[in-house]
DNA sequence: ACCAATTTGTCCGTATGTATG
DNA sequence: TCATACATACGGACAAATTGG
């Protein structure tokens, strides 16, 4: 909360000069390339020239160019196809899902925080899906239900199918912002859901039954009941959690951060 | 959609060997450091040794170490204090907000997608806030209201205060997952909100009135009315948008990606 | 299928500016 | 003040992989 750095040359206070903040050359290189891509002057898919060419254009050493490239590489603005040439790229938003999830864990987010967000997001997703789901996605949900019914006694597989179910739903809702917002659920709920299936004999059947009721409501375009069942479904998760564990206010296990 | 690369040495099909995917040394360096931090063997704040030391430990060249460091630098797992030594760090989740917002814009997310997500998130936020808001945050909201009332004819300032209002609310709700999920609203709605205030004479007053009603409900711990007013408030934004613009299904302006 | 040019990955040595004690 | 340590940046070099005949 406190910002108390840079007290050394800051005393002049008023004046006509902007505070000067020197950036290392490799960062300037990265920023320059980034601007070209974000502004659209370099289109995604365009080859970005070889390192030697960039060296000539920027007038810096190749090592410096390479360090700049590494900065962008991590952010997804640069792609390498076959380990070779560099291409400009538009970062896919869910490339950040892993990083965000990991940051959540390292910042000791609680199950409660994740669960509350899940409740809001999943209900919104299912209500939107009720408005606009296509036959194609209804078919995918049916298929998921079939597989789930055959996996009632396979906790790990069923937990994966649970993730798949909600992922299909989010796609059917046709909203990429919500799709991204729910990514941490996928990454962080899984191990707990699996354990929950393993320890609570009724949990698998309840899970599949809720999914069935949701699909049923979606097929009827019944937004209200879809929402009601989703709420029950998410509530069930919490109840199951409290049944086998101490408190939902504990932080998510740090081991979940290790992929 | 088609995956047809790597047909050269792939013909063996079945076998006991894992497909081998060579990683460059600089990436191995980054991964190694990352694992130490994520696993907790290196604690946040710990100095990470000098480049020379890392060179000795990894047995690679200085340039290689530096490239690896750049990869981590962008992800926030590494911090440099005064331009000097490297420290391990826990990435703050909202350091990714800018990247995600930019990715949304570059992927041509529509206002509808953002708005639908906002509706879900803000209602959840205000309902949680109604349960647990402290006097301190109520005071901050009051202060925000006062400033807003004096800024009714300053569109830019009022738009900033609108962001502040919702940010305070999210903090009062005490849920960091929702707090992060709503970050793109801050980044991406602002220019449009400002324009909306500028072009629609009634919009500023409607905005502040809704905020007042929300604070009033929060003070009474009235979850239902807080939710109702928030819904109206978010709906108002869409109505205002449609009043001055063509369609909410258009992509968010690319220029918003340029900070 | 082979060859030559290009390009990346990696390494070495060195110079410079700056922060620390 | 001065010496040391360290990050930044540069130039040159070579091997391996890729590309394009």
């Amino acid at each position: 909360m406190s910002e108390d750095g840079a007290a050394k040359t800051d005393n002049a206070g008023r004046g006509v000069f902007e505070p000067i903040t020197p950036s290392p050359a490799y960062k300037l290189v990265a920023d320059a390339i980034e601007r070209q891509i974000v502004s659209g002057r370099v289109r995604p898919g365009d080859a970005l020239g070889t390192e030697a060419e960039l060296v000539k254009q920027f007038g810096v050493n190749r090592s410096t160019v390479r360090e700049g490239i590494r900065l962008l590489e991590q952010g997804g603005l640069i792609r390498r196809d076959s380990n070779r040439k560099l291409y400009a790229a538009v970062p896919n938003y869910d490339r950040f899902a892993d990083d965000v999830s990991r940051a959540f864990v390292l910042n000791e987010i609680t199950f409660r925080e994740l669960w509350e967000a899940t409740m809001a997001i999943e209900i919104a997703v299912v209500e939107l899906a009720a408005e606009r789901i296509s036959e194609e996605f209804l078919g995918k949900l049916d298929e998921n239900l079939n597989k789930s019914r055959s996996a009632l006694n396979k906790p790990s597989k069923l937990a994966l199918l649970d993730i798949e179910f909600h992922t299909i739903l989010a796609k059917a809702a046709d909203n990429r912002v919500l799709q991204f917002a729910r990514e941490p659920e996928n990454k962080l709920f899984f191990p707990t859901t699996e354990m929950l299936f393993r320890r609570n004999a009724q949990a698998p059947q309840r899970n599949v039954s809720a999914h069935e009721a949701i699909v049923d409501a979606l097929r009827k375009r019944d937004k209200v009941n879809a929402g009601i069942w989703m709420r029950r479904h998410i509530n069930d998760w919490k109840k199951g959690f409290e049944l086998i564990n101490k408190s939902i206010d504990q932080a998510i296990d740090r081991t979940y951060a290790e992929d």
Side-chain angles (χ1 to χ4, degrees), chain A:
Chain A
M1 293 287 173
S2 66
E3 299 272 355
D4 55 5
K8 216 183 303 178
T9 59
D10 224 21
N11 298 329
R14 74 221 134 64
V16 291
F17 296 113
E18 298 280 317
I20 190 165
T21 56
S23 287
Y26 65 83
K27 183 149 182 46
L28 295 177
V29 168
D31 289 344
I33 296 174
E34 175 176 343
R35 269 197 304 278
Q36 294 298 313
I37 297 176
V38 171
S39 71
R41 281 187 287 276
V42 174
R43 299 194 158 277
D46 286 0
L48 207 61
T50 67
E51 291 179 4
E53 282 172 330
L54 294 176
V55 165
K56 260 189 257 174
Q57 291 191 47
F58 288 114
V60 296
N61 189 269
R62 190 156 81 101
S63 308
T64 308
V65 168
R66 285 172 63 83
E67 287 185 41
I69 287 173
R70 298 303 160 239
L71 285 180
L72 299 176
E73 194 173 312
Q74 192 68 356
L77 279 169
I78 271 185
R79 228 203 183 100
R80 49 160 106 288
D81 245 4
S82 62
N83 201 333
R84 208 61 181 176
K85 255 186 183 166
L86 291 173
Y87 297 96
V90 161
N92 191 340
Y93 41 94
D94 51 64
R95 93 189 303 294
F96 301 105
D98 282 334
D99 290 330
V100 170
S101 301
R102 194 184 57 190
F104 278 159
V105 173
L106 293 181
N107 282 277
E108 300 182 330
I109 294 279
T110 65
F111 274 108
R112 175 183 298 282
E113 289 173 283
L114 188 59
W115 179 84
E116 287 171 349
T118 297
M119 179 64 92
I121 292 165
E122 292 297 328
I123 289 180
V125 162
V126 83
E127 288 184 349
L128 290 173
E131 291 176 4
R132 57 181 72 142
I133 190 167
S134 64
E135 281 303 322
E136 182 198 347
F137 279 113
L138 280 172
K140 285 185 183 177
L141 288 175
D142 282 333
E143 199 183 332
N144 176 277
L145 285 182
N146 280 331
K147 282 191 263 180
S148 296
R149 287 189 203 98
S150 335
L152 277 171
N153 54 352
K154 295 171 188 165
S156 184
K157 195 168 186 181
L158 191 61
L160 279 174
L161 286 165
D162 180 60
I163 289 179
E164 192 191 69
F165 180 87
H166 291 275
T167 302
I168 296 171
L169 223 50
K171 282 183 187 161
D174 197 30
N175 184 307
R176 289 166 289 177
V177 178
L178 287 171
Q179 231 167 293
F180 173 77
R182 62 170 302 287
E183 277 289 334
E185 307 169 19
N186 283 354
K187 319 274 179 197
L188 301 180
F189 273 152
F190 173 75
T192 306
T193 301
E194 186 188 356
M195 178 174 47
L196 205 145
F197 286 157
R198 224 180 273 286
R199 299 236 209 128
N200 182 340
Q202 301 167 16
Q205 182 57 56
R206 287 186 69 87
N207 182 278
V208 176
S209 296
H211 285 190
E212 286 171 336
I214 288 169
V215 173
D216 195 48
L218 289 179
R219 185 161 270 122
K220 296 174 186 160
R221 313 275 163 194
D222 184 346
K223 185 172 163 177
V224 174
N225 269 307
I228 289 174
W229 275 103
M230 181 59 86
R231 179 177 296 274
R232 272 185 208 156
H233 181 42
I234 307 294
N235 256 324
D236 249 18
W237 191 92
K238 190 174 82 163
K239 284 184 204 159
F241 183 86
E242 288 168 337
L243 215 71
I244 62 172
N245 228 306
K246 299 160 216 151
S247 161
I248 202 170
D249 284 306
Q250 63 186 250
I252 293 170
D253 197 313
R254 194 188 188 82
T255 57
Y256 295 6
E258 302 164 359
D259 287 340

